[in-house]
Amino acid sequence: MRKVSYSSYQTTLKGGHTRSRIIILMIFVFAAFSVIFVRLFQLQIMRHDLYISIAEDQHFGAIDLPARRGDIYVKDTHSGELSKLATNTTLDLLYVDPMVAENKQEIATKLTPIVFPQSEYEQCMEKPEECFYAVEKKNTIETLIVSDTVWDVDSGATKKVESAREEELDFKSYSAMSQEISEDILRKITKSEVDFVVLRRDSEDDLMADIINERLPGIFVDTDRFMIYGDPTLIPESQLHIISKTLATYLDEPPSTIETRLTRRQVRYVFLRNKLSPEASQAIEDLNLKGIVLLPEHWRFYPEGELGSHLVGFINRENTGQYGTEGYFNI
């Protein structure tokens, strides 16, 4: 019988444990590299087209420049004078690129009095339905600082005295509305990711019902506005492809197109206001703040108001002629 010393046995045992640990470590490393390889294969090969499309969207942009519509005149048969009933005007659209914007609090503070001046507030009080910003008609009691001119007996001259006075208002005061608008602008431009993507407007009831029944995460239906939209931040990445394929069967769009639109991405465009007056556009340019962009847009303008409107027609939000001459010569 062969005798083995205790020390030799211990050495053999330790060597076995070492080899086992090395094998386990190698298996772990192999598994980790396998996971990385599979993930890279998925990103580089299987989803190559999707990420190429996303990359191109981040580096290239396209802006539709529709042809300007012609002017419409009416001729006075007695004097032969021409009166312009419809023409075009160019007004700017204002948006902010949060990735470029630096001091966002400063942007919100300085833009507010330009996009919502005191004069517009007064117009909103008269015609709330035509106001760009939502105006709720309700009685509110606010403390206003009132400046009065009084006679100072000691100096023998007039002087201004400011005092606080509580007044009941039909609408919120200009300062209160301005504060809300400033906070809303700041909230919008501080978003880091896109959280609202319109998938379909003017949706039919049956279509909205089908989407609701699918119970897709991150996909919502607004029955009041007949709109189907998504929030990319609430869509699990692992389910994005399946959700896109499901939506494609209802929306009649390629799954890849829907998937691109619903992919999580940084906010690069925050719309704030359109139809800015030339004075407002100039004031915004003078601010010289990074991230603020003015985009010229063509709008239809009717100098004579409703004169001849039954013959002229009008232009809808999609810049499409409706009825009358506008509809007949629509491109």
Side-chain angles (χ1 to χ4, degrees):
M1 180 176 180
R2 184 181 178 185
K3 295 183 179 180
V4 180
S5 65
Y6 180 75
S7 59
S8 299
Y9 174 76
Q10 287 289 92
T11 302
T12 303
L13 189 61
K14 288 181 180 179
H17 285 314
T18 302
R19 283 194 296 272
S20 298
R21 291 175 181 174
I22 292 175
I23 292 173
I24 293 174
L25 179 61
M26 291 178 64
I27 293 174
F28 176 78
V29 172
F30 177 78
F33 274 103
S34 298
V35 171
I36 295 174
F37 176 79
V38 171
R39 182 58 176 164
L40 288 175
F41 180 82
Q42 181 186 22
L43 295 176
Q44 297 288 342
I45 306 300
M46 298 181 63
R47 308 186 71 181
H48 174 267
D49 294 338
L50 171 63
Y51 287 103
I52 285 293
S53 175
I54 295 174
E56 290 178 349
D57 288 342
Q58 292 177 345
H59 291 84
F60 302 97
I63 299 175
D64 293 331
L65 298 177
R68 299 186 66 176
R69 305 179 72 90
D71 295 339
I72 300 176
Y73 294 85
V74 62
K75 184 177 181 179
D76 189 322
T77 56
H78 296 287
S79 64
E81 182 181 357
L82 293 176
S83 297
K84 188 178 293 185
L85 297 183
T87 186
N88 301 291
T89 184
T90 301
L91 299 174
D92 289 333
L93 176 148
L94 169 66
Y95 75 89
V96 172
D97 184 345
M99 287 187 64
V100 180
E102 294 179 348
N103 192 331
K104 297 176 182 178
Q105 179 65 63
E106 181 184 10
I107 290 176
T109 302
K110 291 187 175 181
L111 281 182
T112 300
I114 298 177
V115 299
F116 187 65
Q118 177 79 36
S119 58
E120 183 169 340
Y121 169 77
E122 295 171 357
Q123 294 174 3
C124 289
M125 299 304 99
E126 298 176 0
K127 297 181 178 180
E129 67 281 359
E130 297 181 6
C131 187
F132 180 82
Y133 297 100
V135 179
E136 297 180 8
K137 188 170 184 178
K138 58 182 180 181
N139 294 330
T140 60
I141 297 178
E142 295 191 15
T143 301
L144 305 179
I145 304 299
V146 182
S147 179
D148 296 319
T149 302
V150 298
W151 179 264
D152 186 6
V153 178
D154 296 332
S155 62
T158 59
K159 67 176 183 179
K160 289 187 177 181
V161 178
E162 292 186 346
S163 59
R165 180 187 305 168
E166 286 191 348
E167 290 191 7
E168 184 175 350
L169 305 174
D170 291 336
F171 300 93
K172 293 180 180 178
S173 65
Y174 173 68
S175 59
M177 283 194 64
S178 296
Q179 180 64 29
E180 290 183 0
I181 293 171
S182 179
E183 292 173 355
D184 183 60
I185 292 176
L186 182 61
R187 178 184 59 80
K188 289 179 178 178
I189 64 179
T190 50
K191 285 184 179 180
S192 59
E193 290 186 278
V194 175
D195 59 3
F196 181 81
V197 176
V198 177
L199 297 173
R200 177 65 60 85
R201 300 181 188 273
D202 301 324
S203 303
E204 298 178 353
D205 292 337
D206 292 342
L207 175 60
M208 292 190 293
D210 290 338
I211 298 297
I212 292 174
N213 291 333
E214 288 289 346
R215 300 181 181 275
L216 301 173
I219 306 301
F220 304 94
V221 174
D222 187 335
T223 55
D224 294 331
R225 294 189 291 175
F226 302 96
M227 180 190 298
I228 300 171
Y229 65 95
D231 182 349
T233 63
L234 300 179
I235 300 176
E237 185 178 355
S238 59
Q239 300 182 37
L240 177 59
H241 186 65
I242 297 175
I243 291 173
S244 300
K245 290 183 66 176
T246 303
L247 288 172
T249 60
Y250 294 105
L251 303 180
D252 193 26
E253 291 185 29
S256 58
T257 301
I258 298 175
E259 187 170 353
T260 300
R261 295 169 64 188
L262 292 177
T263 299
R264 296 183 67 165
R265 59 191 181 277
Q266 292 181 308
V267 177
R268 296 302 307 272
Y269 174 93
V270 176
F271 168 79
L272 294 182
R273 182 72 193 263
N274 61 1
K275 295 185 179 180
L276 290 170
S277 67
E279 295 78 16
S281 295
Q282 185 60 53
I284 292 173
E285 286 186 0
D286 293 341
L287 292 177
N288 195 28
L289 294 175
K290 289 184 178 180
I292 297 178
V293 183
L294 293 172
L295 181 65
E297 288 187 316
H298 300 308
W299 293 92
R300 204 61 165 157
F301 176 60
Y302 302 96
E304 301 297 334
E306 297 181 358
L307 178 64
S309 58
H310 60 294
L311 297 175
V312 175
F314 64 94
I315 301 297
N316 63 14
R317 293 182 178 180
E318 285 72 35
N319 201 36
T320 303
Q322 302 290 306
Y323 309 107
T325 307
E326 297 279 29
Y328 182 79
F329 289 101
N330 188 56
I331 299 177

